[in-house]
Amino acid sequence: MEGVLIINKPKDFSSHDVVNVLRKELNTKKVGHTGTLDPKATGVLPILIGNATKISKYLVEHDKTYSVVMELGTRTDTLDSEGKILETRKVETLDEEKIKEVLSSFLGKQKQIPPMYSAIKINGKKAYEYARNGQVVEITPREIEIYEMKFKKYFDNQISFIVKCSKGTYIRTLCQDIAERLGTIAYMKELQRTDVDIFNIKDAISIDDIKNKKKDVKEAIISIEEVFSKNGKIVLADEKLQYFLNGVKLTFDMQDGIYRVYQKNKFIGLGILEKKLLKRDVIVEGEI
């Protein structure tokens, strides 16, 4: 069994918790994920099974889409609902058009300072380790990009919106920055990841589905071939296929990139073409 399984991660489960459950339920150690999702967050968590763990390097850079609820008038040290309240403030009623205007102002490339309570490493230690010890350290701003900001609702000091963004975007920080431009303070109350590139929550299955055998895991798995369905295709003759499998680089006058490799109509795996030389990368289960 190999491929990508889209899990709708439940609240209070860490990404590693999900991996551990699947290792047990699927009876395999070759299970991984493409990037953590906070325990309090829910939604899309792509899980890699079998040789698909080798394609993680191609999936970690993908854009993501989130459904967010932020609570105005309160600031916490972690910028989410788990943190210690640092400040509360009365919030004047906001105009929805103003909220939409502020949300739109975040579109495009920009620098963002990750929160202190994050796993970013500074001098060999994670930022949250410094924060828990009451130490203040400087965190270097990182370039992110916001592709879409869609207002959903404003009610009872809460703003809900959809954001599509690049890898490395901290939604907790985004909520804080939005509040600042609105002249108030806030924290991230709820977070659901609805998309990771081609992986959508409508295709996700739950931990409960797997544990209680409500759905067939094999039917839910997305094959490596399907994940890379938009990539180019190279068909190898039998003699060249053996060279390819043995690690010999083959010459092709084509553009650089990741290619799906076939023997006739049979999918063999992935190859990387660089400077007209094709080398093997990921071979599907049972081919060698």
Side-chain angles (χ1 to χ4, degrees):
M1 185 185 296
E2 67 180 16
V4 182
L5 189 64
I6 313 305
I7 296 294
N8 186 353
K9 190 188 82 64
K11 211 168 190 176
D12 296 323
F13 266 68
S14 71
S15 301
H16 193 63
D17 289 338
V18 174
V19 168
N20 284 338
V21 168
L22 290 176
R23 281 176 177 162
K24 180 180 178 181
E25 294 296 325
L26 304 181
N27 194 28
T28 178
K29 291 183 178 179
K30 293 182 74 174
V31 179
H33 59 76
T34 64
T36 59
L37 186 58
D38 288 347
K40 289 297 178 183
T42 63
V44 173
L45 182 67
I47 295 293
L48 310 178
I49 301 168
N51 283 339
T53 55
K54 297 175 183 177
I55 67 173
S56 174
K57 56 191 174 184
Y58 300 124
L59 304 182
V60 293
E61 302 295 327
H62 282 170
D63 300 331
K64 300 170 177 68
T65 303
Y66 297 93
S67 178
V68 189
V69 177
M70 54 185 284
E71 177 83 26
L72 303 175
T74 303
R75 181 169 66 90
T76 69
D77 56 358
T78 59
L79 306 183
D80 62 16
S81 60
E82 291 300 290
K84 177 184 176 183
I85 295 176
L86 300 178
E87 180 185 1
T88 58
R89 190 186 301 179
K90 184 179 178 180
V91 181
E92 301 297 330
T93 302
L94 298 171
D95 179 70
E96 285 193 6
E97 290 306 313
K98 175 63 175 177
I99 296 172
K100 292 177 183 177
E101 181 184 317
V102 167
L103 292 177
S104 295
S105 72
F106 282 90
L107 293 172
K109 292 182 178 180
Q110 58 205 271
K111 296 286 187 179
Q112 185 188 67
I113 301 176
M116 273 299 299
Y117 280 88
S118 65
I120 288 176
K121 286 197 173 181
I122 304 168
N123 298 324
K125 289 177 62 176
K126 293 178 179 178
Y128 66 74
E129 294 178 298
Y130 291 104
R132 287 172 180 171
N133 291 328
Q135 297 173 275
V136 178
V137 291
E138 184 176 351
I139 300 180
T140 305
R142 306 197 305 183
E143 185 173 276
I144 62 164
E145 186 168 2
I146 305 294
Y147 307 108
E148 182 180 354
M149 291 283 274
K150 188 181 296 182
F151 172 79
K152 287 176 66 180
K153 189 177 180 181
Y154 169 52
F155 176 75
D156 196 24
N157 280 348
Q158 293 180 11
I159 297 172
S160 58
F161 62 95
I162 302 291
V163 55
K164 182 178 180 181
C165 55
S166 65
K167 170 188 176 290
T169 303
Y170 280 88
I171 307 302
R172 287 177 286 154
T173 299
L174 182 62
C175 289
Q176 174 184 252
D177 294 343
I178 290 169
E180 186 176 335
R181 291 191 190 181
L182 288 170
T184 185
I185 55 177
Y187 68 88
M188 184 185 76
K189 185 175 183 179
E190 295 177 17
L191 183 68
Q192 180 190 49
R193 190 157 69 187
T194 58
D195 295 88
V196 177
D197 193 59
I198 64 170
F199 308 124
N200 185 274
I201 198 162
K202 66 179 175 59
D203 301 314
I205 65 174
S206 69
I207 294 294
D208 183 62
D209 288 336
I210 296 170
K211 281 187 171 183
N212 296 302
K213 307 294 188 293
K214 293 180 180 179
K215 292 186 179 179
D216 188 340
V217 172
K218 289 184 179 180
E219 288 185 2
I221 286 180
I222 303 170
S223 68
I224 296 173
E225 181 181 15
E226 188 177 350
V227 171
F228 290 86
S229 61
K230 293 183 180 179
N231 290 64
K233 177 179 180 180
I234 292 177
V235 180
L236 297 178
D238 291 349
E239 64 275 11
K240 284 195 173 183
L241 173 63
Q242 200 53 54
Y243 283 129
F244 174 75
L245 293 176
N246 289 337
V248 177
K249 294 181 180 180
L250 304 175
T251 302
F252 285 89
D253 189 12
M254 300 167 70
Q255 290 185 338
D256 287 358
I258 304 163
Y259 285 81
R260 291 171 293 140
V261 179
Y262 291 80
Q263 179 189 34
K264 296 181 180 179
N265 293 323
K266 184 180 182 181
F267 178 66
I268 302 300
L270 303 175
I272 300 174
L273 190 64
E274 188 174 8
K275 296 180 180 178
K276 302 189 186 302
L277 292 176
L278 177 72
K279 65 176 180 179
R280 59 171 282 170
D281 186 29
V282 178
I283 305 302
V284 298
E285 190 174 63
E287 293 305 327
I288 58 173

